[in-house]
Amino acid sequence: MSARQQGGGGQAERAPGPTVDEARLWKAPDYRRILLKLSGEALMGESSFGLDTVTVERIAQEVKSVVGMGVQLCLVIGGGNIFRGVEGATKGLDRVTADYMGMLATVINALAVQGVLEAIGIHTRVLSAIPMASMCEPYIRRRAIRHMEKGRVVIFAAGTGSPYFTTDTAAALRAVEMDCDAMFKGTQVDGVYTDDPLKVPDAKRFDRLSYHDVLTKDLKVMDASAISLSRENHIPILVFSLQEPGAFAEVVAGRGTFTIITEEGQNDAGS
Ligand code: UDP
């Protein structure tokens, strides 16, 4: 059940800060190019591991809607539904090996999403930070940009290609390299809350936050290096629910429910 359902269709109590109307005064730019970050878990559906095809197909339709708006789109997909380096390291694997396994997991997800997107008529390219010549293209910045200019959805695989990083950081890095107007993070709930709204029913949702708020209040949005990189390069982050059908296109159009993280965010978490 999404937080919106729990909280009553977007009626969840809000943290102090701008009113909904004030937040709506933020006008969605006419996005030229954006990046969507999905965690591997977003592809699991109700399962506890791996990929759920119905869920992947649903997400592909969300992507298709945004492509239909004429926005250039790239994706970074995590691998946590298959393997996470940190967890592998706790089970006796050395961390670097475990992280490479995690990066391979992101390639599996990228290929799955590519297959489903192509099946519904969306042209895609997978570009891997770790070259895998017989499966996908290597990551080359200019080539990635050219693909998007031609209307292809680019899926970045294998994170940054280096251990000790996450796909959140890879997403921020690629968003900067691709000169994206914004990074969208699709989650289980419709924004950033003071607490996990799936566990804490009176958690409050923020309409706006600053990068500083996210870092200093240790809000669980993206890891600190992803937030810092976005901050340094002025990439707004929009957090929205992937569970709400049509939500991605709505948020790209500046409507619907989401939390936007920029330099100027004003909500004071939980005070
Ligand atoms: N990973 C890595 N370097 C990167 C990106 C990912 O080593 O640049 C590894 C790391 O082990 C991580 C795993 O890939 O745990 C899966 O990525 P992540 O945990 O970010 O996936 P998500 O939580 O988004 O599903």
Side-chain angles (χ1 to χ4, degrees):
M1 178 184 286
S2 76
R4 281 184 87 172
Q5 288 165 319
Q6 283 206 336
Q11 302 301 310
E13 195 185 345
R14 296 171 56 259
T19 64
V20 172
D21 285 343
E22 283 165 348
R24 290 292 168 272
L25 290 178
W26 173 80
K27 190 177 170 314
D30 196 3
Y31 292 119
R32 175 189 48 101
R33 182 179 299 148
I34 60 173
L35 182 143
L36 173 65
K37 163 74 202 323
L38 303 174
S39 70
E41 279 165 354
L43 309 180
M44 286 192 321
E46 299 295 313
S47 324
S48 54
F49 177 82
L51 290 148
D52 173 55
T53 15
V54 174
T55 304
V56 179
E57 279 163 10
R58 191 174 53 72
I59 292 172
Q61 290 295 344
E62 299 281 313
V63 167
K64 185 174 184 175
S65 305
V66 170
V67 172
M69 295 164 79
V71 179
Q72 294 178 27
L73 183 60
C74 50
L75 309 181
V76 168
I77 308 168
N81 55 323
I82 300 171
F83 198 84
R84 277 210 177 87
V86 177
E87 285 162 23
T90 61
K91 292 175 186 150
L93 286 169
D94 85 87
R95 173 69 191 267
V96 173
T97 304
D99 277 342
Y100 277 115
M101 293 167 70
M103 285 185 263
L104 288 175
T106 73
V107 180
I108 294 174
N109 286 337
L111 294 177
V113 172
Q114 175 178 46
V116 174
L117 281 172
E118 294 273 345
I120 58 170
I122 302 294
H123 298 295
T124 64
R125 291 289 186 275
V126 173
L127 271 60
S128 173
I130 299 173
M132 296 187 198
S134 33
M135 278 196 292
C136 53
E137 296 180 17
Y139 171 68
I140 298 170
R141 178 176 166 271
R142 284 176 186 277
R143 188 180 281 186
I145 290 172
R146 193 74 194 113
H147 284 317
M148 283 187 277
E149 287 171 348
K150 287 182 176 171
R152 297 170 186 146
V153 171
V154 171
I155 307 171
F156 295 114
T160 62
S162 298
Y164 296 102
F165 286 98
T166 64
T167 51
D168 280 353
T169 305
L173 176 64
R174 295 295 184 239
V176 175
E177 289 181 291
M178 294 301 116
D179 193 21
C180 287
D181 299 317
M183 173 161 59
F184 289 71
K185 169 131 181 169
T187 71
Q188 298 294 98
V189 297
D190 58 355
V192 183
Y193 281 74
T194 49
D195 218 320
D196 182 350
L198 301 178
K199 294 183 186 142
V200 182
D202 60 352
K204 296 168 188 167
R205 191 179 62 76
F206 298 97
D207 285 330
R208 299 191 69 120
L209 281 167
S210 67
Y211 304 110
H212 180 78
D213 286 336
V214 175
L215 291 171
T216 54
K217 297 176 198 308
D218 198 23
L219 295 168
K220 306 288 177 230
V221 187
M222 296 185 115
D223 59 53
S225 35
I227 300 291
S228 302
L229 200 51
S230 305
R231 177 186 192 166
E232 275 167 35
N233 295 282
H234 315 290
I235 306 260
I237 305 171
L238 291 94
V239 184
F240 71 99
S241 170
L242 263 183
Q243 305 301 314
E244 301 285 331
F248 184 30
E250 281 287 293
V251 176
V252 171
R255 300 187 294 263
T257 311
F258 56 89
T259 299
I260 178 164
I261 304 164
T262 58
E263 201 56 74
E264 303 86 28
Q266 294 176 9
N267 273 349
D268 186 9
S271 64

